[in-house]
Amino acid sequence: MFVEIRDANLERYDVFIVGSGPAGTTLALQLAQRGRRVLILESGGRDYDAGVQSAFSSVYGRGHFDGIHWSSHWIRALGGTSGAWQGFCLPLLDRNMAHWPIGRAELDPYYRIAARILGRDPTFLTFQQDHLDGFRLRPFSTEPPVHFGDPEFGVPEDDPMIDIALNTTLAGLRPRLDRQGVDGIAIWSPGGGRIEARVAETQSIVLAAGGVGNAQILLASTDGTSAAVGNEADQVGRYLMEHPHSYHCGRVVVPSELALPEAPEPFGAQVPALVPDDSLHAQIGGRDVSVEWVETAPNLNDPHEVFLLDRIGPAARSFFLNVRSEMAADPVNRLTIGEGRDPAGLPRLRARCVIGADDLRAIDLCLEALGGRLVANGPGRLRILNDALYRGVTGGGHIMGTTRMGDDPRRSVVNRDCRVHGYRNLFVAGSSVFATGGYENPTLTIMALAARLGDHLADAA
């Protein structure tokens, strides 16, 4: 049910969730199923509004991504960034979570919950198949994306356990004097201005406002005389990550038998891709890389490709390659307070995010290894396009790592249960808690972590 924040009785809620995207909505649904009453605070309205987006999501950007990149993937509307999601979906591998305090096995039951919410057959959660020595076929699931602003997939408007306050921004957190929890929040709405509300001992707050928004709220929650909430160790905003994307960074000509097969029918719509096996993954530096093959018309202006087409004959097929890869978690890449404030009084942020040489070298080494495997298997060849790989690198709009999960409060912001270190009733949901990013689109893992957090909060009540 939609409520006006000025009229809402805040004492009736067990959990306040900040943000209505994949993390916030999945968490709300899981909590409601477990009998907990939830209020979602969403800065935007039912529909995307360019004026609201511009006013609330401005970021100053340096490095490989400008401010527009960050702001355009920080959506202020019901459903959050699911409104910009293209539907690519895949769980993390065990090796992608080697530096997390939890492992893939802990997420497996929640990946199945996320797949069910998305209406996808769970086959894609576990499917992989050897293809060429050193590589595995691991397609992306690409069923139509779910927009959580749509009642069919998001919060049903008649759900008695979940209320939503639109055009309502969490403007700050007030810590207890002993810094063991949060006992107050500031809420802003355009019609009601700023109000202060008490948070009871039995109530919890979950920040699910995205990789930028979660850090922004924590960094803003200070009186200027002490560290911001959750930032006692100067970790909030650090480890900012993206997924480097290099499109059309290689071309392949192979016989039909070396082309990528499709996953079995229950998998559903898919984008075929190869990933290194564990041995090759270690050889290229422990960064993960996914190489998508897209069939295309032969390039008859390229003498090398024409030679291969003639040599292979009628069975020859041409592909261009797109790469999605992993970026190292580096504390120097970070969000910090910038100049100016948004209408709710939250500070605008600066983003510094530089893709490292080793991140790009991992892609290069992976493609070099793939080319070698093709040579070893016959007349197929791969040509690496250097400019596209090194100078054309971009991102996937995947903002990760700014409230990192870890056991050590000196090097992370939240613990293995997504609770802010030292704060009894303050939690974070979403990709900002990722300790590392893998190469996979984060939406599925965001949802799995949110469902897991829902169970934790319900069990602890």
Side-chain angles (χ1 to χ4, degrees):
M1 183 172 83
F2 292 100
V3 298
E4 293 293 333
I5 195 65
R6 280 282 180 181
D7 301 328
N9 175 12
L10 301 185
E11 296 178 359
R12 68 194 295 262
Y13 300 107
D14 300 304
V15 181
F16 300 105
I17 299 174
V18 184
S20 65
T25 297
T26 302
L27 174 61
L29 293 172
Q30 191 74 0
L31 285 167
Q33 188 177 31
R34 297 289 305 274
R36 302 298 180 264
R37 196 173 291 277
V38 174
L39 176 64
I40 297 175
L41 307 179
E42 170 53 57
S43 288
R46 284 179 182 257
D47 301 310
Y48 179 87
D49 183 293
V52 171
Q53 181 70 15
S54 175
F56 281 95
S57 295
S58 177
V59 179
Y60 307 99
R62 294 179 61 194
H64 279 97
F65 308 100
D66 62 16
I68 294 174
H69 177 84
W70 305 109
S71 62
S72 63
H73 297 100
W74 181 21
I75 306 299
R76 302 303 186 100
L78 185 63
T81 307
S82 70
W85 182 42
Q86 297 300 306
F88 277 58
C89 216
L90 206 58
L92 294 174
L93 293 165
D94 287 319
R95 69 192 188 201
N96 302 143
M97 301 184 70
H99 299 289
W100 292 50
I102 62 174
R104 163 69 188 263
E106 294 186 53
L107 286 186
D108 278 341
Y110 298 104
Y111 275 135
R112 290 192 287 273
I113 289 172
R116 185 173 68 245
I117 292 172
L118 295 174
R120 303 193 188 198
D121 188 284
T123 300
F124 81 95
L125 297 175
T126 56
F127 175 80
Q128 52 184 310
Q129 175 182 309
D130 290 341
H131 186 81
L132 296 174
D133 180 37
F135 288 88
R136 294 177 185 148
L137 174 69
R138 195 166 185 249
F140 289 90
S141 170
T142 56
E143 295 292 325
V146 165
H147 180 209
F148 288 100
D150 184 340
E152 181 182 354
F153 301 108
V155 175
E157 293 188 17
D158 59 352
D159 192 317
M161 303 301 292
I162 305 173
D163 289 339
I164 303 173
L166 296 174
N167 302 302
T168 303
T169 301
L170 181 70
L173 304 162
R174 184 182 69 221
R176 285 173 25 176
L177 292 177
D178 61 6
R179 292 259 169 166
Q180 297 297 303
V182 170
D183 63 12
I185 54 177
I187 303 172
W188 182 90
S189 62
R194 184 182 176 100
I195 63 173
E196 305 282 339
R198 178 178 173 274
V199 177
E201 287 281 334
T202 57
Q203 294 176 309
S204 296
I205 304 158
V206 181
L207 306 183
V212 178
N214 290 340
Q216 180 192 43
I217 292 168
L218 292 174
L219 291 172
S221 299
T222 178
D223 59 7
T225 63
S226 56
V229 170
N231 199 34
E232 288 80 3
D234 189 29
Q235 294 298 294
V236 173
R238 293 188 182 273
Y239 303 99
L240 176 63
M241 294 177 285
E242 244 284 10
H243 281 137
H245 283 44
S246 295
Y247 294 102
H248 293 230
C249 61
R251 286 187 68 92
V252 163
V253 180
V254 293
S256 291
E257 63 267 21
L258 293 184
L260 303 191
E262 287 198 350
E265 186 176 346
F267 192 102
Q270 58 194 268
V271 165
L274 289 181
V275 300
D277 65 13
D278 291 343
S279 175
L280 180 57
H281 174 260
Q283 291 175 40
I284 65 174
R287 305 280 198 282
D288 228 330
V289 179
S290 171
V291 184
E292 173 193 359
W293 293 36
V294 182
E295 190 150 20
T296 185
N299 181 2
L300 300 181
N301 294 317
D302 183 340
H304 302 286
E305 192 156 335
V306 170
F307 172 80
L308 287 169
L309 293 169
D310 289 342
R311 183 179 178 191
I312 297 171
R317 296 170 68 181
S318 297
F319 300 83
F320 64 78
L321 306 181
N322 296 327
V323 165
R324 298 169 177 85
S325 61
E326 183 172 18
M327 181 177 174
D330 186 340
V332 174
N333 288 325
R334 67 185 301 192
L335 299 170
T336 54
I337 297 293
E339 294 77 31
R341 294 183 178 270
D342 69 17
L346 289 165
R348 302 194 187 280
L349 298 181
R350 290 186 175 276
R352 180 195 184 278
C353 192
V354 177
I355 300 170
D358 287 343
D359 302 329
L360 294 175
R361 179 164 171 75
I363 303 172
D364 195 327
L365 291 173
C366 179
L367 293 177
E368 185 177 301
L370 178 57
R373 301 304 190 271
L374 293 176
V375 169
N377 279 273
R381 295 293 186 272
L382 182 154
R383 181 181 180 189
I384 298 173
L385 303 177
N386 195 66
D387 281 359
L389 172 56
Y390 283 99
R391 297 182 180 87
V393 65
T394 182
H398 306 154
I399 306 171
M400 302 172 288
T402 58
T403 61
R404 194 178 202 224
M405 181 190 288
D407 289 330
D408 185 350
R410 297 169 300 175
R411 295 178 177 84
S412 58
V413 177
V414 303
N415 69 7
R416 62 183 58 223
D417 295 320
C418 296
R419 180 176 61 82
V420 176
H421 290 301
Y423 289 81
R424 176 191 55 78
N425 62 340
L426 180 60
F427 299 81
V428 180
S431 57
S432 67
V433 308
F434 284 24
T436 52
Y439 69 83
E440 300 88 344
N441 292 57
T443 301
L444 187 76
T445 302
I446 288 170
M447 295 173 65
L449 286 166
R452 177 178 177 269
L453 176 56
D455 274 355
H456 172 76
L457 291 173
D459 290 342

